[in-house]
Amino acid sequence: MGKSLTRKIIESHYVSGSMVPGEEVFIRVDQTLTHDINAVMTYLAFEAVGLDRVRTECSVSYLDHNLLYVNNMTPDDHIYLQSAAKRFGVHVSRPGNGICHTVHVSRFGVPGKVSMGGDSHTPHGGAIGMLCIGVGGMDVATAMTGVPMRLKMPRVIRVNLTGSLRPGCNAKEVILEMLRRVSIKGGLGNVYEYTGPGAAALEVPQRATITNMGAEMGATTSIFPADEQVRRFLKAQGREADYVELLPDEDARYDEYIDINLSELEPLISCPHQPDNVIPLKDAEKKKVQQVFIGSCTNASYADVARAALVFKGHHVHEDVSCTCAIASKQTYRELLRDGYIDMLLEAGVRLLEIACGPCCAIGQTPATEGVAVRTSNRNFKGRAGNPTAQIYLVSPESAAATAITGTFTTAEEIMGAEVAVLADVREPEQYIVDDSMIIRPLPQEGAQKVEILRGPNIKFLPVPEPPAQHMCVPVSLKGGDNISTDDITPASAEFSSMRSNIPLMSQYCYHRYAPDFAARAKELGSSIIIGGENYGQGSSREHAAINPMYLGVKCVIAKSIARIHKGNLVNHGIIPMIFADPADYDRLEQGDELEITGLLDQIPARRVTVTDKTKGISFETVLDLTDAEIQVVLSGGQLRYLKKQLEENC
Ligand code: F3S
């Protein structure tokens, strides 16, 4: 029986475990990436482990998200991260070089390699046939020590693409269509492997739009074959030597099949407040749009921005619209500048922002009160843009440009008529401008050991949880609903992002927008349990959504379901993730109820824990959907204690 590409890569990196879907497998990790607003905790953890140097083929620290420097905190973080990278043999991509995923696939990615990134959109690299998985920062620290990555062996879904995108349609339409079909949690435990003649015609940045935003389905990752498109891309990056052809076998068996005819797709729009709330753009109620943002790692490639610029040609941004553009990398920016597209944007009244994530994670360009924001980024959760009253819609760059012109939801074809056909002529460059002067290469080990790690006053300690106790009797500090995102738990914005290396400060804002009194209440209670609905912890990989509750004394999260990356972060930071065996029990619990668990340490290995609600006088069952290794991490009191034990045993 033939093999999928995913299986081939996992087999070539196999260390131990089972390759049966749903079971635990350990694989070697070749590359890691981190970015500035999550990485401080990663490097503090790596320091705590006590190794001299990373044990990966290539690790890169990107300074790309928060470049505003509104106070001392972010520059403190950047100085710390740059010095820690030098000390431990890690590349640094300096501020202004570009967004981590875009730069990584362009300058470091190699087909067939396994990469782990402390960001949920790490699957971006699947565009060149890499297996790229988004995880929490503690997992990245673990990978940097050379310890194999634990993974639930995924189911592999073949997505067969036929036909070709019509002008005015973008790869964004493909992933929005996938979200419409699969939903925001339907991808859990799956890898989506794109094949077929339609896939073969998509250029690497188009593929990256799809693999990047596959994260919104809750998928483990998404991947395209390493084929002629990948060879062409790497050649254009001056890296053809890194190309190796990697295809699934023709008779490969998959766990499920999806067919999409690209020719049948029309411009789509994801409506507030979940990415899978997708409808045809033409059917969207014609609301007055206040803000348009073209950018992010998802949709700010050369061809994306060039096509948007062509839609603007001969038009101007509507007087009631604030339209900004943040290009994903310095390389792309220079190409667009050279080819005249930047000038076309400026002429149309588009405001050019710094090369960074920026508005995508609420670092600038917050919409007005109840403002309708139209964005080419990947998430439209309530508050994601920094203002919970705003309504965020997600579209392609072509549709975003058309919308900026009219001030309401509009397709490129409505603006350009038959001229829309010219958009199909825009291709990625045959040769990119290659300039790695903004990348700091690792020092040789001898020199690196002399580097001093610089810590400003914002760099605080990494809190380490205690192992769980045998008996627990604690109140419910919060009962939340379905789809609580990590943005709800630790809000994204310039202000909050700069607190991420200072847990005592940041924890005061835990659940700040969702339940403003939570932090004070949890602190006063000392120890507590959080109750959640479906898909608890969806969205960004930020592990602060686990660290901050842990610091406030949260011992367990009991929910109807928990998103993959967040569940891993809870385990890593000593919070026990529990699932209601009967989801109906959720309705019987209330905030303030006193929950008791006896014999917890004996129950954990059996993956079933009985909880008694002493307030209501009822008992209910919970399930621990954890692998053997995760059970050991939970019993150890988190990944750092577990990892230290592992490294000591292996020395
Ligand atoms: Fe940055 Fe937004 Fe991508 S925060 S890494 S541009 S999802």
Side-chain angles (χ1 to χ4, degrees):
M1 183 179 69
K3 292 174 186 165
S4 66
L5 175 55
T6 305
R7 189 169 182 98
K8 287 183 184 181
I9 297 177
I10 292 177
E11 273 186 9
S12 66
H13 289 75
Y14 175 85
V15 176
S16 61
S18 162
M19 291 192 54
V20 173
E23 295 191 5
E24 189 170 57
V25 63
F26 290 82
I27 58 172
R28 194 166 33 80
V29 176
D30 305 307
Q31 301 191 348
T32 64
L33 72 82
T34 55
H35 63 66
D36 50 355
I37 57 174
N38 284 345
V40 171
M41 292 295 137
T42 304
Y43 288 94
L44 287 176
F46 190 79
E47 278 192 76
V49 166
L51 294 184
D52 272 344
R53 198 171 177 86
V54 292
R55 293 175 173 172
T56 48
E57 288 176 10
C58 170
S59 288
V60 190
S61 175
Y62 290 91
L63 307 180
D64 60 344
H65 276 55
N66 189 355
L67 308 189
L68 280 187
Y69 296 179
V70 291
N71 56 34
N72 67 302
M73 295 201 274
T74 306
D76 280 356
D77 288 355
H78 283 192
I79 289 168
Y80 166 77
L81 289 170
Q82 190 161 320
S83 65
K86 268 193 177 169
R87 174 71 186 76
F88 296 121
V90 173
H91 293 76
V92 175
S93 176
R94 296 172 60 192
N97 197 41
I99 301 174
C100 51
H101 307 306
T102 306
V103 175
H104 203 84
V105 78
S106 303
R107 307 306 309 147
F108 295 99
V110 177
K113 298 285 183 187
V114 170
S115 168
M116 279 176 71
D119 186 276
S120 52
H121 294 102
T122 301
H124 190 101
I128 57 166
M130 288 178 81
L131 194 77
C132 300
I133 301 178
V135 290
M138 188 63 78
D139 289 317
V140 179
T142 302
M144 293 194 311
T145 70
V147 167
M149 169 187 187
R150 62 172 185 265
L151 182 71
K152 260 198 179 175
M153 185 67 193
R155 297 169 75 241
V156 185
I157 317 299
R158 179 183 172 187
V159 186
N160 182 39
L161 302 182
T162 54
S164 55
L165 288 169
R166 290 189 284 134
C169 288
N170 182 287
K172 183 66 143 247
E173 267 61 66
V174 182
I175 191 61
L176 291 184
E177 173 64 13
M178 285 291 290
L179 273 155
R180 192 184 68 74
R181 296 190 192 189
V182 174
S183 89
I184 49 170
K185 59 175 193 149
L188 197 66
N190 295 344
V191 172
Y192 290 88
E193 196 167 306
Y194 291 82
T195 64
L202 294 176
E203 294 187 291
V204 164
Q206 291 177 299
R207 296 175 175 195
T209 295
I210 296 167
T211 56
N212 173 300
M213 220 176 144
E216 272 50 71
M217 301 187 293
T220 301
T221 192
S222 304
I223 191 167
F224 279 79
D227 57 6
E228 180 53 26
Q229 290 286 359
V230 174
R231 191 198 61 76
R232 184 177 163 264
F233 178 77
L234 290 175
K235 183 166 183 266
Q237 292 287 351
R239 297 202 296 126
E240 195 176 6
D242 285 334
Y243 174 70
V244 45
E245 185 183 74
L246 275 175
L247 309 173
D249 289 335
E250 284 197 3
D251 59 344
R253 288 275 299 277
Y254 292 86
D255 295 294
E256 204 180 311
Y257 297 82
I258 294 175
D259 287 297
I260 295 181
N261 182 346
L262 301 181
S263 309
E264 291 174 359
L265 293 178
E266 58 181 322
L268 298 171
I269 185 166
S270 165
C271 304
H273 294 285
Q274 297 294 343
D276 62 353
N277 191 8
V278 174
I279 58 171
L281 182 55
K282 65 176 169 28
D283 295 343
E285 182 194 339
K286 294 279 187 191
K287 291 187 175 170
K288 185 173 161 57
V289 170
Q290 183 259 320
Q291 181 193 78
V292 171
F293 168 59
I294 299 168
S296 89
C297 57
T298 317
N299 259 133
S301 68
Y302 174 88
D304 281 334
V305 179
R307 290 193 187 110
L310 288 171
V311 176
F312 277 120
K313 203 172 174 189
H315 300 278
H316 201 276
V317 172
H318 189 280
E319 64 182 16
D320 294 333
V321 174
S322 161
C323 181
T324 56
C325 176
I327 292 154
S329 70
K330 183 177 92 158
Q331 181 183 64
T332 305
Y333 200 114
R334 291 181 68 192
E335 299 282 351
L336 291 161
L337 193 62
R338 184 193 60 195
D339 295 346
Y341 293 112
I342 295 290
D343 194 52
M344 288 162 69
L345 293 175
L346 290 172
E347 194 178 1
V350 177
R351 297 159 53 200
L352 287 167
L353 303 177
E354 187 164 19
I355 299 162
C357 299
C360 175
C361 52
I363 296 175
Q365 304 308 316
T366 298
T369 305
E370 295 180 5
V372 171
V374 173
R375 297 181 161 213
T376 66
S377 47
N378 42 39
R379 292 195 169 130
N380 56 356
F381 304 146
K382 207 179 182 78
R384 171 77 181 184
N387 174 3
T389 72
Q391 298 174 51
I392 309 172
Y393 292 80
L394 306 176
V395 299
S396 70
E398 293 91 326
S399 300
T403 298
I405 293 165
T406 62
T408 190
F409 306 126
T410 307
T411 65
E413 194 168 2
E414 287 176 272
I415 296 293
M416 302 178 82
E419 282 293 298
V420 76
V422 303
L423 300 182
D425 299 335
V426 179
R427 308 274 299 167
E428 290 291 319
E430 286 297 327
Q431 180 63 57
Y432 292 100
I433 298 167
V434 174
D435 167 12
D436 286 337
S437 59
M438 296 288 271
I439 292 172
I440 304 172
R441 307 255 162 215
L443 292 172
Q445 177 140 9
E446 214 171 85
Q449 279 177 347
K450 295 186 189 129
V451 171
E452 183 193 355
I453 297 180
L454 303 171
R455 292 168 224 277
N458 191 46
I459 311 292
K460 300 294 185 202
F461 58 93
L462 172 70
V464 181
E466 289 299 320
Q470 180 74 314
H471 177 250
M472 187 185 293
C473 188
V474 297
V476 174
S477 51
L478 179 80
K479 182 177 177 186
D482 292 343
N483 297 317
I484 288 180
S485 71
T486 50
D487 282 292
D488 291 324
I489 305 170
T490 54
S493 73
E495 185 192 3
F496 293 119
S497 295
S498 60
M499 294 179 190
R500 289 192 194 179
S501 40
N502 187 340
I503 300 302
L505 175 64
M506 192 182 198
S507 62
Q508 295 172 27
Y509 299 91
C510 189
Y511 272 109
H512 181 60
R513 295 198 183 114
Y514 189 89
D517 51 354
F518 169 78
R521 182 169 60 247
K523 200 167 176 194
E524 199 184 319
L525 292 171
S527 297
S528 65
I529 287 177
I530 288 176
I531 303 296
E534 295 282 5
N535 206 19
Y536 180 87
Q538 68 159 332
S540 164
S541 67
R542 81 186 58 128
E543 62 185 341
H544 292 75
I547 299 174
N548 286 316
M550 178 270 286
Y551 186 73
L552 293 170
V554 173
K555 303 295 180 194
C556 314
V557 167
I558 309 176
K560 291 182 186 173
S561 62
I562 301 177
R564 176 186 67 87
I565 298 178
H566 189 60
K567 184 175 74 175
N569 285 335
L570 292 174
V571 168
N572 285 344
H573 292 285
I575 296 180
I576 309 173
M578 300 176 169
I579 307 296
F580 287 105
D582 178 357
D585 287 327
Y586 168 89
D587 297 323
R588 306 204 287 167
L589 307 183
E590 282 176 274
Q591 187 179 306
D593 284 3
E594 195 81 3
L595 303 187
E596 183 173 41
I597 305 174
T598 55
L600 177 60
L601 301 183
D602 305 324
Q603 295 196 70
I604 287 172
R607 295 177 173 79
R608 227 177 150 87
V609 175
T610 306
V611 183
T612 300
D613 185 330
K614 290 178 71 176
T615 310
K616 300 271 165 48
I618 53 172
S619 290
F620 61 94
E621 294 291 308
T622 65
V623 175
L624 273 55
D625 179 22
L626 302 175
T627 64
D628 290 345
E630 285 172 330
I631 292 288
Q632 293 311 312
V633 175
V634 166
L635 290 170
S636 303
Q639 176 67 10
L640 191 55
R641 288 180 193 275
Y642 178 70
L643 178 61
K644 277 183 162 177
K645 229 181 335 181
Q646 262 186 316
L647 290 169
E648 278 163 20
E649 282 166 12
N650 291 337
C651 280

